[in-house]
Amino acid sequence: MDFLKRLAGNVRLMLQRPPRQQYAALCYRIRKKQGQIEVLLATSRDTGRWVIPKGWPMSGKKAHQVAEREAYEEAGVKGKAEKEPFGFYHYRKTLSNGFKIPVRVQVHLLEVEELLKNFPEREARRLEWVSSEEAAQRVNEPELKDLLLQFKERMRPPGPGPLEVKAG
């Protein structure tokens, strides 16, 4: 009977609409001397694939606050996440029992103010600062790839466009 209850619960999770919700932080820093913008990627604990910090809703916390908390726990960074979402992406989360459920991730930009040496998941993850283009190549989720490239465009400093050549 216990097996049937678990099975029914898993089927309910798989068929659940809308997808489950998570909140993420797209952590970035601006290298002052070079003027380059880098984003922070972390490896997932289970598969080792490249991801951005994300997690499930937390009681009493708003979406951007969850993003800040996940950035601290998973990557050891502190900063203020923007309240308005930058975008969304979808993926299929594999549960411990092997079932996959659809998840919608709301992404908030977070400019990193502080890097910590000690944080809860430091032993479970590898971190790397990379360009937006490199990050887009490393992540698996197509919509997250798009967000990383959109971020690059948003953060591009305003400057002169191509030189206009005037005739005659």
Side-chain angles (χ1 to χ4, degrees):
M1 191 60 159
D2 191 38
F3 171 76
L4 290 176
K5 283 183 183 177
R6 279 198 339 255
L7 183 60
N10 288 333
V11 169
R12 197 169 37 256
L13 277 176
M14 286 180 0
L15 300 176
Q16 186 177 22
R17 296 284 184 246
R20 298 278 305 272
Q21 180 71 55
Q22 286 188 320
Y23 303 109
L26 196 166
C27 303
Y28 70 95
R29 68 181 180 187
I30 301 169
R31 304 290 306 252
K32 301 285 188 236
K33 289 182 182 174
Q34 299 92 347
Q36 296 173 322
I37 296 172
E38 296 177 318
V39 297
L40 182 63
L41 292 181
T43 54
S44 66
R45 288 183 300 178
D46 50 358
T47 64
R49 72 187 193 289
W50 291 105
V51 297
I52 61 175
K54 66 183 173 305
W56 302 108
M58 296 176 187
S59 180
K61 290 198 182 290
K62 295 179 178 174
H64 70 283
Q65 293 170 320
V66 172
E68 290 171 359
R69 180 70 188 187
E70 293 299 328
Y72 160 70
E73 289 179 2
E74 295 182 10
V77 296
K78 294 277 191 170
K80 291 287 181 200
E82 292 183 6
K83 290 182 181 179
E84 291 301 313
F86 176 65
F88 301 87
Y89 72 94
H90 296 80
Y91 79 107
R92 296 185 67 75
K93 170 104 177 135
T94 303
L95 301 177
S96 57
N97 59 14
F99 285 101
K100 294 185 180 210
I101 60 169
V103 179
R104 176 182 186 253
V105 182
Q106 179 174 307
V107 179
H108 294 264
L109 298 181
L110 184 150
E111 185 171 0
V112 174
E113 297 168 358
E114 185 179 1
L115 287 167
L116 305 172
K117 289 187 177 166
N118 290 317
F119 55 95
E121 296 183 17
R122 71 184 173 281
E123 300 293 326
R125 298 179 187 274
R126 205 169 98 228
L127 306 174
E128 281 193 37
W129 288 100
V130 296
S131 68
S132 297
E133 298 94 335
E134 176 67 22
Q137 290 176 358
R138 290 189 187 189
V139 299
N140 291 338
E141 300 80 6
E143 292 170 313
L144 180 53
K145 288 177 186 289
D146 291 344
L147 282 178
L148 287 161
L149 295 174
Q150 288 170 26
F151 173 72
K152 176 190 175 218
E153 289 305 311
R154 174 181 167 166
M155 299 302 287
R156 181 180 305 249
L163 294 176
E164 228 177 273
V165 178
K166 295 188 178 191

